[in-house]
Amino acid sequence: MTDILKPDLLWIEGRCYRINDSNTELTSFQEHDLYENDVPYDDVNDADDDDDNFDVVLLDNSRFTTSFHVSKHYIGAIIGKKGAVKCRVERDTKTDIKIPKQGQTGDIVIFGSSASSVKAARRRINIIVMSSRMKQRPTHFISIPMNSPDIMNNFETFKNNVLRDCPGRGLDESLFIKPNKLHLTLGVMCLMDNEERLLASKLLTEAKEKIILPMLEDYLPFKIRLKGLSYMNDDPREIDVLYGRVQEEGASTGLIQKLADSLVSHFYKAGYMEKDHGRDNVKLHVTLINSKYRSRAAQGGEDSLSSTSRNSRQPRVTFDGSEILRKYADYDFGVIEFKEIHLSQRHSIGNDGFYQPTCVICCST
């Protein structure tokens, strides 16, 4: 049950909103009728809109306006059933909202008699978009590649040793990640069109100058060691994901965690990323073995599963990793110099065998 003294908060475009009932799940039908039963968020900074990081333009002596891109995937939620949501926002904020018609391109444009009313309408729309976004499966993720030749070679040795020495239930070669795809996951998000991908790329570029380089400047070249194993499940005999741990090499302990948390917070406040299962800290992990990679051959079929099939809602078959943890709990995969952070598309592989990049920022000297 939500603590009414410590309500969940939602950040959108640098502003903070209180979630009145975070345990209430909205169906798509209910979401379109969001305003008929009151918005489930309160703007906790309603009296002060100086924090808004978007522009409102004075058209003439009596009208203000702002325009902004919204993916067509969210337009239905903004309009609502028979236009109910749009009408309610316009009525509550005393604005006029122009939305591109189906098949048309262009921005949403808001007109109002005051800058504050225009900003209020835009914040309402942002809330609806954010609510819709967080119910969709992630399309992209931010990561640090961990695929240096040294680490990949040590991973191959680890894989061969495990398959030879740890014949546990459910373990199969197809469960191991491809060495070229080794990465430290920092966060995931849903980006529905090219405009959103461009904005996410801009946010990552901004984070380089505002967060990443200032945090690492005393430790460059910054190095990360991949050493030790852990798992996602509670029972080592019923594992879905076995992952490698990371630690700083020649830098203060906790720096990687601080970097990851700050980066996720940057995207979270912009309305593009959700906190990792409600945790304050990112769960740092380099996936090594994952039951969702299991091929049809391992299950008695003829072909390997496609990426689409692997990620469909089929029951996952866990594996027994207790022997792996007993023998290789402190396995050292090696050290990599931290050079880049990638914004990558899920389930899409580039020519180098790593995930297809949407944006890459260089973080080395």
Side-chain angles (χ1 to χ4, degrees):
M1 184 175 180
T2 303
D3 186 345
I4 61 173
L5 297 179
K6 296 181 180 179
D8 292 332
L9 300 178
L10 178 70
W11 283 88
I12 301 175
E13 291 195 350
R15 294 181 64 84
C16 187
Y17 299 82
R18 180 187 301 109
I19 303 177
N20 292 335
D21 186 0
S22 60
N23 295 319
T24 300
E25 290 292 332
L26 295 177
T27 65
S28 58
F29 179 82
Q30 290 171 324
E31 184 179 335
H32 286 196
D33 290 333
L34 204 56
Y35 280 85
E36 294 186 3
N37 295 299
D38 290 334
V39 183
Y41 306 101
D42 289 332
D43 184 350
V44 299
N45 297 317
D46 195 50
D48 180 11
D49 55 20
D50 291 339
D51 294 333
D52 288 316
N53 56 357
F54 55 83
D55 294 326
V56 173
V57 178
L58 176 63
L59 287 178
D60 48 47
N61 292 332
S62 59
R63 283 206 311 167
F64 294 81
T65 186
T66 187
S67 61
F68 56 105
H69 171 78
V70 172
S71 170
K72 64 181 180 180
H73 297 82
Y74 305 125
I75 294 298
I78 296 169
I79 295 174
K81 185 181 178 182
K82 297 181 179 180
V85 175
K86 174 177 175 289
C87 289
R88 178 68 183 272
V89 175
E90 289 176 322
R91 184 171 68 248
D92 288 351
T93 60
K94 296 180 175 59
T95 56
D96 181 23
I97 301 172
K98 302 297 183 182
I99 298 176
K101 295 181 180 179
Q102 188 172 3
Q104 294 181 337
T105 59
D107 292 342
I108 289 180
V109 183
I110 304 173
F111 299 96
S113 59
S114 68
S116 60
S117 64
V118 169
K119 289 184 177 183
R122 178 160 172 172
R123 291 196 294 269
R124 297 278 187 109
I125 292 174
N126 286 337
I127 290 171
I128 298 170
V129 172
M130 184 68 164
S131 175
S132 299
R133 188 191 305 280
M134 294 311 169
K135 291 176 177 62
Q136 295 176 302
R137 291 188 177 184
T139 60
H140 291 70
F141 67 100
I142 295 178
S143 71
I144 299 173
M146 299 291 291
N147 54 1
S148 69
D150 183 40
I151 288 181
M152 287 195 293
N153 288 336
N154 289 331
F155 174 74
E156 286 285 12
T157 300
F158 166 78
K159 172 183 171 181
N160 294 333
N161 289 346
V162 166
L163 291 173
R164 184 189 66 230
D165 301 335
C166 308
R169 177 198 54 78
L171 188 64
D172 179 80
E173 184 175 359
S174 65
L175 274 62
F176 289 79
I177 192 172
K178 301 298 183 185
N180 283 340
K181 295 165 68 176
L182 286 165
H183 63 276
L184 172 61
T185 304
L186 301 180
V188 299
M189 70 188 81
C190 180
L191 305 174
M192 298 303 295
D193 59 22
N194 191 52
E195 289 289 335
E196 292 194 342
R197 289 187 284 272
L198 287 172
L199 180 53
S201 300
K202 179 182 177 183
L203 287 169
L204 185 58
T205 303
E206 289 176 352
K208 171 185 174 179
E209 303 300 330
K210 295 180 179 179
I211 299 170
I212 300 168
L213 293 182
M215 197 174 293
L216 300 180
E217 62 182 352
D218 293 334
Y219 305 102
L220 294 175
F222 182 55
K223 297 182 179 180
I224 302 173
R225 181 176 293 276
L226 178 58
K227 180 180 179 181
L229 305 178
S230 191
Y231 55 98
M232 297 293 188
N233 307 56
D234 295 330
D235 188 347
R237 296 166 299 179
E238 301 286 345
I239 295 178
D240 273 324
V241 177
L242 184 141
Y243 63 90
R245 296 177 176 274
V246 293
Q247 60 190 57
E248 301 80 2
E249 188 75 3
S252 59
T253 302
L255 187 57
I256 302 174
Q257 185 69 65
K258 182 180 178 183
L259 173 66
D261 293 344
S262 299
L263 193 58
V264 168
S265 180
H266 180 66
F267 277 84
Y268 173 65
K269 290 183 177 182
Y272 273 82
M273 192 176 288
E274 198 170 18
K275 288 294 181 70
D276 188 9
H277 299 287
R279 288 189 290 258
D280 290 332
N281 301 113
V282 175
K283 188 175 184 65
L284 298 174
H285 66 281
V286 178
T287 298
L288 305 175
I289 309 176
N290 194 330
S291 66
K292 78 175 183 180
Y293 300 154
R294 191 180 303 278
S295 69
R296 290 192 187 278
Q299 300 183 41
E302 297 180 355
D303 320 68
S304 293
L305 287 170
S306 67
S307 61
T308 302
S309 299
R310 278 199 301 266
N311 290 279
S312 61
R313 295 183 178 181
Q314 298 179 357
R316 291 173 66 162
V317 180
T318 60
F319 63 92
D320 184 350
S322 54
E323 189 67 7
I324 302 175
L325 292 164
R326 187 181 70 82
K327 291 184 176 181
Y328 300 104
D330 296 319
Y331 191 89
D332 192 345
F333 295 88
V335 177
I336 187 171
E337 182 179 335
F338 170 51
K339 295 182 178 180
E340 298 174 340
I341 292 182
H342 286 221
L343 169 62
S344 302
Q345 183 177 340
R346 298 181 70 210
H347 315 309
S348 180
I349 306 302
N351 294 330
D352 59 355
F354 196 68
Y355 297 90
Q356 184 68 41
T358 296
C359 176
V360 177
I361 59 170
C362 178
C363 303
S364 59
T365 53

